[in-house]
Amino acid sequence: MAKARKQKGDGGGAGGGATVLHQKLCVSIDVENQLIYGYTEIKVLLADNDTFALHADNMTIRSILVDGETAEFDYSPHWKNEGDQPNWSLISCLKTAADAACSTYTSALNREAVPNLIVSYERSVKSITEQQLEENSEKHEENSGRLEEHGLKPDQIVNGCNGSAMEEQKEKENGNGKGKENGIETETEKVKNIKLVHIDYILEKAETGIHFVGNVLYSSSQIRRAHCWFPCIDSTTQRCPFDLEFTVSMDLIAVSNGDLLYQVLSKEDPTKKTYVYKLNTPVSAHWISLVVGPLEVLPDSNDISVSHICLSPALSKLRNTITFFHDAYSCYEDYLATPFPLGLYKQIFLPPEMTVLPTSLGASTCIFSSDILHDEKVIDQIIGTRIKLAYALAKQWFGIYTSAEEPNDEWLLDGLAGFLTEIFIKLFLGNNEARYRRFKANITVCESDVSGATALSSPAASSDLYGTQTIGSYGKVRSLKAVAVLQMLEKQMGPDSFRKILQLIVTPNRASRTLSTKEFRHLANKVGNLERPFLKEFFPRWVESCGCPVMRLGISYSKKRNMIELAVSRGCTAKATPDSDSHTNGDTREGDAGWPGMMSVRVHETDGAYDHPVLPMAGEALQVVEIQCHSKLAAKRVWKSKKSTKFDGSDDNIDVSTQENRTSIDSPLQWIRVDPEMEYLAAIHFHQPVQMWINQLEKDKDVISQSQAISVLEKLPQLSSAVINALNNFLNDTKAFWRVRVEAAYALAVTASEATDLAGLLHLVKFYKSRRFDADIGMPRPNDFHDIPEYFVLEAIPHAVALVRSSDKNSPRGAIEFILQLLKYNDNNGNIYSDVYWLSAMVQAIGELELGQQGMGFLSSLLKRIDRLLQFDNFMPGYNGVLTVSCIRTLARIARRVSSSICLVRKIPSIFPTSSTVALDASGYPIVFFGSAN
């Protein structure tokens, strides 16, 4: 019975000293009335004190039994205990307002983390006063009346959940609270401090944790939201097996965690059915999930224990999307040498307007937004969707089945899941895709890893950020960094040893299902054969600290000694602070030890390539390293200036890069690479002659090497025809990886200027027309997207063209005419693939244009094309509204750029003849309402 809440602590952490051994959840769900009612049974191991604490919110607790006897409880929902609010009238400036708002928010988070359902279990029924009995009776009548309003009888709270667990509960209650099951007292229940807690509760119109949308109910895995739909100890450190029973209407399906044991019709109400699930693997309440609705279940056709589930309208897209999934599933089982550990895996796809999160993980389940589903006609969505589904599956292994021992260990599970995903990417999307993505991820980490929030295992960050360090932009950076750190360890110990460690972690024979950074470090020493001194330095520097090394290098070649002198400057991305601790926030100081390890330098000479592990990651801030060349210098030849091609390909211009070309003749060096195998997470800025960068782009087959060369060449202050031609030749090389070819296209756009006679623009237009135009009539041919890599390259050309600027910082007339022509004559008839992303790229290119005064004459034509696409997409909706979104964004960008120079309000009626209403927003920008005036 509820009493006035006393000021009590949490009794020594989540659960008030109680440890959850098992939990049973048995509820009936009335989707129409948005009502959940039933009970949960929690078997807990209690401490010596006479109370324990649970989390519960937004629900009515009807009664609590401990070993069958009525127990006293204090229940104070968090939303009723808002605490002290700041006196906003005393706020004098923005800073004090921000401080007050932050204080209020953190206070709410602190209250939310404290258990608010306090149960006293040693009180006997005989000691309850008459007044307390009357209070309990009144509360029972009140809740009974609330149920009857929905046409439900009070006894249906129990009878509505028609599994065998209901009968077992009655037997336990009739057994005088002895905790007997089928007349046989188990050994566990003989232990004095193990109690069986039975909680009856009602949940009406839940606002968070679980959501009703139409005839669909689903849960979300947001932080600390499990206790908003069932009482539990909502802590990541409390894990237990679960028995789950959900009674729903006959026309609905309930999908939850673990294996579906059986379905049974309700004896009391033949229109309802109970789904009984069992999850034997201990997990925290955070990972319990539920979806109820008129779902379509599609078992996987490749003999794997996976079910794919969605609503009927998305079934055809679902069939097409999941054809690859057995590859990821089998890849993980083979790599880890053990079957999927959580029984039947279920992935559910719900409409995006229903879902709170794009992805909501649960034990053996995952709820996705159906936006990621696609049919066989959509090209651009394939890679992203496969990686998202593969990553969610990897999180089942590392994150749910194997969980973090403490919050500071979450980085490790996150990193292992990302590492496993990259194994799938490498095997089924290609080594080039895997290396390119890792290279770009490392760049992102080095640019963002500047403060203590990005330290992977930081007690301060975990406590100060209340678990939110795993979400948002910082969460993304932390995930990328975690994978990079684990890949560094893999390269140190070798792929076979690292794979063996992962297999040991997920083996069913392992005693614990949790993993700590300390244990992983021990495995790296024992199984990976990494020396203790190295690990003692590696983990504090990469895991417990923030910041990445910054290496700035330049070369000088000594012809006399046939030697390379490599000048090195070392730094760190994190900023130093006067009172920083290098092991807590990672900020480097003068004299800091740096990072462990030795970086390799690969020298490509005329006689071959040679690796030199000569560059220490730690040491003096400035250093010179000498590298002996193996190739002999060729006999000196007289260099004669010769004609070279112009930027546009003609032959009557002298190459201005003659001096740079002398470097390759006066030395045996072709090009040099630092850390070619990405053994370290570091920002590397390397300087070598331009001709060596051109050699690297033209001759090195590694996608990372090519991307590095393009990045340097496009930023050169002075451009030669050799650079422009090298970029153009690479763009035209169909054997090169398509993502790097796209980079070459953007580099040509950046290098296009009046100084180069807009050569980059000419090359881009020429390349596109050679692939997509009919040479006889000079017009675009109908779309044909059979060559997928070529499709991605050509799709990027309009955007690259739109980035070209003339000397007045405006788009050249030729660029505007080209994009308008592509949009005007786009023809997808006869093409088996959708052109929605193709058109979207062209529309976005319009938004990148700088029209200027000369380009204003094209504005009307451009806007009419956008209007036509909007009307067409409204009449025949395309995939996920991609085209409409692009059109709206482009219109907004155009409005912001040209509203100051022309009056759009007067021009829009003539530009948009199909639009019915034009208005201005608060900033004076035009708002166009398409369709009917209503």
Side-chain angles (χ1 to χ4, degrees), residues 249-493:
S249 177
M250 282 286 294
D251 58 339
L252 303 178
I253 294 176
V255 181
S256 191
N257 315 94
D259 289 323
L260 177 63
L261 300 183
Y262 54 84
Q263 309 169 36
V264 59
L265 296 177
S266 174
K267 296 179 181 179
E268 290 74 16
D269 189 348
T271 65
K272 292 187 176 183
K273 180 189 293 187
T274 299
Y275 290 81
V276 181
Y277 289 88
K278 189 174 187 63
L279 180 63
N280 291 320
T281 302
V283 298
S284 62
H286 174 70
W287 299 123
I288 298 301
S289 57
L290 173 65
V291 178
V292 175
L295 304 171
E296 298 284 347
V297 181
L298 185 65
D300 198 278
S301 59
N302 293 277
D303 194 29
I304 58 177
S305 298
V306 178
S307 290
H308 314 279
I309 304 167
C310 67
L311 298 180
S312 298
L315 188 58
S316 60
K317 290 183 180 180
L318 177 63
R319 293 181 186 276
N320 177 75
T321 303
I322 51 88
T323 53
F324 85 98
F325 194 75
H326 70 283
D327 291 333
Y329 191 89
S330 302
C331 170
Y332 295 165
E333 287 192 330
D334 292 342
Y335 184 82
L336 299 172
T338 186
F340 183 73
L342 295 171
L344 179 66
Y345 180 59
K346 302 161 284 289
Q347 46 186 10
I348 307 102
F349 301 87
L350 298 178
E353 60 271 17
M354 290 186 178
T355 55
V356 175
L357 303 173
T359 302
S360 183
L361 286 168
S364 77
T365 65
C366 192
I367 305 170
F368 297 94
S369 167
S370 61
D371 267 350
I372 66 174
L373 298 177
H374 59 85
D375 56 33
E376 67 279 0
K377 296 181 179 181
V378 177
I379 298 174
D380 296 65
Q381 194 74 21
I382 296 174
I383 295 176
T385 292
R386 293 188 175 185
I387 292 175
K388 288 176 183 177
L389 297 184
Y391 177 73
L393 179 61
K395 287 290 289 184
Q396 298 290 322
W397 296 90
F398 299 107
I400 299 179
Y401 177 66
T402 305
S403 57
E405 186 172 299
E406 298 291 342
N408 287 338
D409 303 318
E410 290 179 358
W411 76 271
L412 179 56
L413 280 302
D414 199 18
L416 290 173
F419 181 89
L420 197 60
T421 305
E422 294 201 359
I423 296 294
F424 162 76
I425 294 174
K426 182 177 180 179
L427 291 179
F428 293 98
L429 297 179
N431 188 55
N432 282 342
E433 179 74 17
R435 283 181 60 80
Y436 184 86
R437 295 177 71 89
R438 175 45 39 198
F439 173 62
K440 293 300 180 181
N442 286 359
I443 292 177
T444 300
V445 173
C446 291
E447 291 175 348
S448 306
D449 190 7
V450 296
S451 68
T454 51
L456 296 179
S457 181
S458 169
S462 299
S463 59
D464 293 347
L465 299 177
Y466 299 91
T468 60
Q469 71 274 10
T470 60
I471 61 178
S473 59
Y474 275 127
K476 180 67 174 177
V477 172
R478 286 166 54 89
S479 295
L480 297 176
K481 183 179 179 179
V483 179
V485 169
L486 292 176
Q487 287 191 336
M488 284 191 285
L489 284 174
E490 185 211 25
K491 292 182 183 299
Q492 291 292 327
M493 68 179 68

Side-chain angles (χ1 to χ4, degrees), residues 84-392:
D84 296 332
Q85 293 294 322
N87 187 351
W88 296 104
S89 62
L90 301 178
I91 302 301
S92 59
C93 63
L94 292 178
K95 184 181 184 304
T96 55
D99 291 341
C102 181
S103 176
T104 303
Y105 177 63
T106 54
S107 296
L109 291 176
N110 284 324
R111 290 195 304 271
E112 184 182 79
V114 176
N116 60 325
L117 177 57
I118 313 299
V119 181
S120 300
Y121 66 90
E122 286 190 342
R123 303 247 181 199
S124 65
V125 179
K126 295 180 181 180
S127 66
I128 301 176
T129 65
E130 294 295 330
Q131 180 181 358
Q132 290 172 330
L133 285 172
E134 290 176 4
E135 291 176 358
N136 191 39
S137 177
E138 291 174 0
K139 187 169 184 63
H140 178 77
E141 292 175 1
E142 177 185 347
N143 289 306
S144 298
R146 184 179 297 143
L147 288 173
E148 289 173 357
E149 289 178 3
H150 296 292
L152 303 169
K153 297 179 180 180
D155 59 355
Q156 283 182 288
I157 293 177
V158 174
N159 294 336
C161 303
N162 190 47
S164 60
M166 303 298 101
E167 298 176 1
E168 294 172 8
Q169 173 60 24
K170 291 179 180 178
E171 290 180 5
K172 291 177 184 178
E173 292 177 358
N174 293 333
N176 198 25
K178 297 291 185 179
K180 294 183 178 180
E181 180 177 354
N182 298 327
I184 301 175
E185 190 173 9
T186 64
E187 291 296 320
T188 304
E189 290 168 335
K190 292 180 181 178
V191 180
K192 178 181 178 181
N193 287 336
I194 293 182
K195 303 293 181 180
L196 186 64
V197 183
H198 177 99
I199 305 174
D200 282 335
Y201 73 99
I202 305 169
L203 177 62
E204 291 185 277
K205 300 185 183 298
E207 297 180 356
T208 184
I210 201 160
H211 310 271
F212 292 87
V213 183
N215 59 350
V216 174
L217 171 146
Y218 68 96
S219 62
S220 64
S221 59
Q222 292 173 294
I223 299 175
R224 294 183 295 274
R225 287 297 174 265
H227 69 272
C228 293
W229 67 283
F230 66 95
C232 60
I233 298 183
D234 200 354
S235 169
T236 57
T237 59
Q238 291 276 3
R239 309 170 190 90
C240 70
F242 280 82
D243 287 339
L244 306 164
E245 302 186 16
F246 304 103
T247 300
V248 299
S249 177
M250 282 286 294
D251 58 339
L252 303 178
I253 294 176
V255 181
S256 191
N257 315 94
D259 289 323
L260 177 63
L261 300 183
Y262 54 84
Q263 309 169 36
V264 59
L265 296 177
S266 174
K267 296 179 181 179
E268 290 74 16
D269 189 348
T271 65
K272 292 187 176 183
K273 180 189 293 187
T274 299
Y275 290 81
V276 181
Y277 289 88
K278 189 174 187 63
L279 180 63
N280 291 320
T281 302
V283 298
S284 62
H286 174 70
W287 299 123
I288 298 301
S289 57
L290 173 65
V291 178
V292 175
L295 304 171
E296 298 284 347
V297 181
L298 185 65
D300 198 278
S301 59
N302 293 277
D303 194 29
I304 58 177
S305 298
V306 178
S307 290
H308 314 279
I309 304 167
C310 67
L311 298 180
S312 298
L315 188 58
S316 60
K317 290 183 180 180
L318 177 63
R319 293 181 186 276
N320 177 75
T321 303
I322 51 88
T323 53
F324 85 98
F325 194 75
H326 70 283
D327 291 333
Y329 191 89
S330 302
C331 170
Y332 295 165
E333 287 192 330
D334 292 342
Y335 184 82
L336 299 172
T338 186
F340 183 73
L342 295 171
L344 179 66
Y345 180 59
K346 302 161 284 289
Q347 46 186 10
I348 307 102
F349 301 87
L350 298 178
E353 60 271 17
M354 290 186 178
T355 55
V356 175
L357 303 173
T359 302
S360 183
L361 286 168
S364 77
T365 65
C366 192
I367 305 170
F368 297 94
S369 167
S370 61
D371 267 350
I372 66 174
L373 298 177
H374 59 85
D375 56 33
E376 67 279 0
K377 296 181 179 181
V378 177
I379 298 174
D380 296 65
Q381 194 74 21
I382 296 174
I383 295 176
T385 292
R386 293 188 175 185
I387 292 175
K388 288 176 183 177
L389 297 184
Y391 177 73

Side-chain angles (χ1 to χ4, degrees), residues 769-781:
K769 288 185 174 181
S770 68
R771 264 75 171 173
R772 299 286 303 114
F773 273 53
D774 189 315
D776 296 331
I777 62 176
M779 301 294 287
R781 293 193 299 267

